[in-house]
Amino acid sequence: MVVEGSVEQKADVVNSNQQPDVAVHKKTFTLEILHIIKEAQQQHGLRHGDYQRYRSYCSRKLRRIRKSLHFINASKHRFQGKKISEETLTDVRFLHIPLMMAERAWGYAMQLKQESNTEPRKKFHLISRLHKATKIAIELEALCESSKCDARTKLEAQAYTAWIKGSLYFELQQWQTAMECFRISQTIYEKLSEALNEDEVILYKQRVEELIPNIRYCAYNIGDETAINDLMKMRLSGKTGEDMLAGDLDHLIAQTREKQAVTLSEVEWRGRKIPVRHEKIRLFLLNVQDIQTQVDQASEIQVKIDAYERLLLDCKDALQVVRDEMKDQAAKGRSEAVQSSLAFLQSYLTYIRLSKTVERNLLFIESLKNNMGGSSEAAADGKRVTKPQDLVRPYEIIIQNLHEMSQLPGIENDASFLEETEASSLAYKAHRCFYIAEVYSAASKWVEAVALYGRAEEYIQKALKNSALKDKKLIGQLKELSAKIEGNKYNAYSLSILGTDTSTQGDATKDKKLLMERLDQYLEDPSLVSQHPRIAQFPPDFEPIPCKPLFFDLALNQIEFPPLDDRVEQKKQGGITNFVRGWLGGWK
């Protein structure tokens, strides 16, 4: 058995040696580096920013590749490192080894970058890992320059190496060298996107867009002051490239606003100037000035909502600072002028919070309206279809916020502000009534729907007659709503007269009674000849029935019955016993 096996193995070796080397390496290797690393990153942790999981995956992947290629470093007794050379390159999987090693070192560096926020000493370990990743990437590029690899593999290796180098110089704060590396990588990916098929272009274009924030950040640090505006737009839209840049951008934007906050000493609201002394409030007010421009430039509704959410969190902190300052001033017994100024500043910040909440809710309503009314697009995207009742609550919150605006201290005598708030409140009340009417209309409650449509029309007329309503967009919405109400109102009115629901005519069995409930009526019911006939309800409903009565005769214990001795027959007694008792004196 052993001899035969050895002979077969020798025969295989001889046959393999007889094949010329040209035939083995006849075809060139193609390594789609960007596609491989992106797919691995998305499937193994980087979708959630888990770099440790991705690093562990790279180690397991390396072990599997080495084992399948019989290219294991460790022997039975000691570690023996093996290097991949052009002669060794007989399978494309050999190129996966340095690629996974570089990815593992890069993933470890990104993990250390996350941990260096709380442990600054890990910054040195981070840089050493990036040095190792760069060294391995250069070796990968040298292997891909071989004649055994095609032109696409060579370009992808050059772009990948340039990106790894750029990441290293970025952490070393060598901005000029880092920017040059990122631009080399960006240029190569742009050329590849132009040469490839349409199915493969998207991935490379995304990579080009991811590199733009890194390049602009390096340009700003070199001295390009205009880059900060682009970086703020990218941070707002979420296009910050890698996660490694997001924290740096936040820190950079905060530093820029701190420089601008030095010049902000007071603000003006409703014709009154308010001094601003606290640094945190100045930064918040600068953020308020920039947020509208940034929101206008954002393309997606969800991005705008997220921007407002961040602003409202900052507003909460600013209001707390003002409250603490008011308590300190009251405890120190400062003048009423200082306390009045702080109270008016609190009203101003509260107004900002309420107004931005209204704008946030309007964007939320707009996103709900995009999925309104059973649209096929929303169903195809897997989104929840919006119903009329979903829009009632957001409008109620807006009305409540407007009411709180009118109750702010310090503006009781501001007639124009109160009129503007009242006009806006009427407009949003009209929208709320309309959607409540839609809810009643969907429930076939036509009388209530007609009444609410009429109330909505009254609100619209009052709002349009009010000269304080100057929002052109809101006026246009009210006019569109008025036209829509007119049609829906007459439709509901006609249905209330007819007493029928045309919306349910397609469903022939929706409102029909069961057969047991209409034995004296003739009505065609197709369900009676189907597999699920509507004959009777089963199981039947529970019904109350009288239970068996229980009697407790408690009066019997208190009743005294008359004697019945006179009616009882007395038997005559005789015999020897009576004779003896009579002889002894018992005769009567």
Side-chain angles (χ1 to χ4, degrees):
M1 295 292 290
V2 176
V3 174
E4 291 177 359
S6 61
V7 171
E8 291 177 359
Q9 290 176 0
K10 290 180 181 179
D12 293 338
V13 172
V14 171
N15 293 332
S16 62
N17 291 334
Q18 289 177 354
Q19 295 178 357
D21 295 338
V22 179
V24 176
H25 308 301
K26 188 174 181 179
K27 65 176 183 178
T28 57
F29 299 133
T30 301
L31 183 67
E32 301 176 2
I33 294 177
L34 184 61
H35 177 74
I36 291 171
I37 63 174
K38 279 295 182 183
E39 185 177 2
Q41 289 172 2
Q42 290 298 313
Q43 293 180 359
H44 299 280
L46 262 63
R47 184 176 296 179
H48 309 289
D50 191 350
Y51 289 96
Q52 184 177 4
R53 177 185 167 192
Y54 180 61
R55 179 169 66 92
S56 302
Y57 161 76
C58 292
S59 298
R60 296 193 303 271
K61 180 73 173 177
L62 270 172
R63 193 180 302 113
R64 290 195 298 268
I65 295 174
R66 288 184 181 276
K67 189 174 182 180
S68 64
L69 292 173
H70 304 288
F71 197 73
I72 300 174
N73 286 327
S75 62
K76 185 176 289 187
H77 302 289
R78 62 188 177 86
F79 177 82
Q80 184 177 1
K82 295 181 180 180
K83 290 188 177 181
I84 303 173
S85 60
E86 186 175 351
E87 291 76 16
T88 314
L89 191 60
T90 58
D91 194 322
V92 70
R93 289 178 292 174
F94 280 102
L95 295 175
H96 286 256
I97 294 176
L99 178 61
M100 287 294 107
M101 291 176 65
E103 281 293 291
R104 178 174 63 178
W106 174 82
Y108 195 7
M110 294 301 101
Q111 177 189 343
L112 292 168
K113 185 174 180 65
Q114 289 180 338
E115 297 172 356
S116 64
N117 296 328
T118 56
E119 302 178 45
R121 290 291 302 173
K122 291 191 175 182
K123 182 79 172 178
F124 301 100
H125 195 185
L126 153 68
I127 293 173
S128 69
R129 291 294 94 191
L130 286 177
H131 271 295
K132 183 175 182 180
T134 303
K135 180 181 176 181
I136 299 172
I138 293 173
E139 294 176 359
L140 173 64
E141 183 183 358
L143 284 173
C144 293
E145 291 295 331
S146 168
S147 59
K148 299 177 183 178
C149 300
D150 59 0
R152 177 179 177 179
T153 303
K154 294 176 183 178
L155 289 174
E156 289 222 29
Q158 292 173 9
Y160 179 74
T161 304
W163 172 67
I164 290 288
K165 286 182 179 178
S167 301
L168 171 62
Y169 293 125
F170 189 93
E171 292 300 326
L172 293 173
Q173 298 184 1
Q174 299 180 14
W175 309 116
Q176 184 66 42
T177 312
M179 186 171 66
E180 291 175 359
C181 293
F182 285 138
R183 280 181 174 170
I184 291 172
S185 180
Q186 186 185 44
T187 304
I188 295 173
Y189 284 129
E190 283 179 351
K191 297 299 182 182
L192 284 171
S193 65
E194 295 173 0
L196 296 175
N197 300 328
E198 294 182 0
D199 299 336
E200 301 174 323
V201 165
I202 299 175
L203 184 63
Y204 290 90
K205 287 186 175 179
Q206 288 178 351
R207 189 63 160 184
V208 171
E209 293 178 358
E210 289 174 0
L211 290 170
I212 293 175
N214 301 61
I215 295 172
R216 297 301 291 161
Y217 189 86
C218 295
Y220 174 78
N221 285 281
I222 291 171
D224 187 0
E225 296 293 337
T226 60
I228 185 62
N229 296 326
D230 298 336
L231 291 172
M232 292 176 71
K233 294 175 186 177
M234 294 173 187
R235 186 69 185 100
L236 177 65
S237 60
K239 299 177 180 179
T240 55
E242 303 291 340
D243 293 338
M244 56 179 282
L245 188 61
D248 295 331
L249 277 181
D250 292 337
H251 183 64
L252 176 62
I253 292 171
Q255 286 181 343
T256 306
R257 284 181 177 154
E258 286 176 1
K259 294 178 182 178
Q260 297 174 351
V262 177
T263 59
L264 183 64
S265 59
E266 62 181 11
V267 292
E268 185 175 354
W269 181 57
R270 309 307 301 178
R272 179 175 173 180
K273 293 184 178 180
I274 313 170
V276 182
R277 301 181 180 87
H278 202 280
E279 188 71 20
K280 196 167 187 177
I281 300 175
R282 292 178 181 176
L283 293 173
F284 168 72
L285 294 176
L286 283 173
N287 194 13
V288 173
Q289 293 176 3
D290 297 337
I291 196 66
Q292 193 60 46
T293 304
Q294 296 174 355
V295 167
D296 293 339
Q297 294 172 351
S299 57
E300 299 180 2
I301 295 178
Q302 188 58 43
V303 173
K304 299 179 181 181
I305 294 175
D306 293 340
Y308 279 121
E309 292 288 350
R310 292 194 296 269
L311 181 66
L312 290 173
L313 288 175
D314 295 340
C315 184
K316 181 181 179 182
D317 297 337
L319 279 169
Q320 187 61 41
V321 170
V322 175
R323 294 190 190 99
D324 295 340
E325 185 70 18
M326 291 176 67
K327 290 180 181 178
D328 294 341
Q329 297 295 337
K332 293 178 182 178
R334 294 295 177 89
S335 62
E336 294 183 359
V338 175
Q339 296 182 10
S340 176
S341 177
L342 287 173
F344 197 70
L345 178 60
Q346 184 182 13
S347 298
Y348 176 50
L349 295 178
T350 307
Y351 166 76
I352 292 174
R353 178 179 63 83
L354 295 173
S355 61
K356 298 306 176 185
T357 304
V358 170
E359 294 175 12
R360 190 269 314 269
N361 285 342
L362 289 175
L363 288 172
F364 180 64
I365 289 170
E366 184 179 351
S367 66
L368 289 176
K369 287 182 179 179
N370 292 337
N371 304 327
M372 189 76 181
S375 60
S376 58
E377 297 180 358
D381 296 339
K383 297 180 180 179
R384 180 176 177 270
V385 177
T386 303
K387 298 179 181 179
Q389 54 264 32
D390 297 333
L391 293 165
V392 175
R393 180 59 181 166
Y395 278 115
E396 287 181 353
I397 296 174
I398 290 174
I399 296 168
Q400 179 64 29
N401 288 332
L402 292 173
H403 177 71
E404 291 181 12
M405 284 185 196
S406 62
Q407 302 295 324
L408 289 175
I411 58 169
E412 299 88 354
N413 300 324
D414 195 340
S416 61
F417 178 80
L418 297 177
E419 289 178 2
E420 292 175 7
T421 306
E422 180 63 24
S424 301
S425 180
L426 289 172
Y428 294 121
K429 284 180 179 178
H431 284 85
R432 182 186 62 176
C433 279
F434 170 74
Y435 286 108
I436 295 176
E438 290 287 293
V439 174
Y440 279 110
S441 179
S444 302
K445 296 182 179 181
W446 309 117
V447 178
E448 293 86 347
V450 170
L452 286 167
Y453 283 134
R455 178 61 63 85
E457 285 182 330
E458 293 178 5
Y459 284 136
I460 292 174
Q461 292 174 0
K462 290 180 181 179
L464 293 176
K465 289 179 181 179
N466 196 330
S467 59
L469 185 63
K470 299 177 182 179
D471 190 349
K472 295 182 180 179
K473 183 179 179 181
L474 186 57
I475 293 173
Q477 291 176 352
L478 288 177
K479 291 180 180 179
E480 293 178 3
L481 185 64
S482 179
K484 190 183 294 185
I485 286 174
E486 186 176 1
N488 293 0
K489 178 182 178 181
Y490 289 120
N491 182 36
Y493 185 69
S494 60
L495 290 173
S496 67
I497 295 174
L498 294 174
T500 57
D501 184 5
T502 57
S503 64
T504 60
Q505 287 181 357
D507 189 0
T509 62
K510 183 175 180 181
D511 295 330
K512 290 180 181 178
K513 296 181 179 180
L514 298 172
L515 181 61
M516 292 294 295
E517 299 175 358
R518 53 178 179 83
L519 293 176
D520 297 335
Q521 299 177 1
Y522 174 75
L523 184 64
E524 294 184 1
D525 190 355
S527 69
L528 295 177
V529 292
S530 64
Q531 295 181 353
H532 302 284
R534 304 179 70 252
I535 299 174
Q537 182 177 354
F538 184 82
D541 295 333
F542 289 98
E543 295 182 359
I545 59 173
C547 62
K548 183 178 179 180
L550 297 176
F551 295 98
F552 298 95
D553 196 356
L554 302 178
L556 184 63
N557 299 330
Q558 307 297 329
I559 295 177
E560 294 183 2
F561 292 97
L564 299 177
D565 297 338
D566 55 341
R567 298 186 181 183
V568 176
E569 293 185 9
Q570 293 185 359
K571 296 181 181 181
K572 294 182 179 180
Q573 299 178 355
I576 189 66
T577 306
N578 293 332
F579 176 77
V580 173
R581 186 171 55 185
W583 179 65
L584 294 174
W587 295 105
K588 293 182 180 180

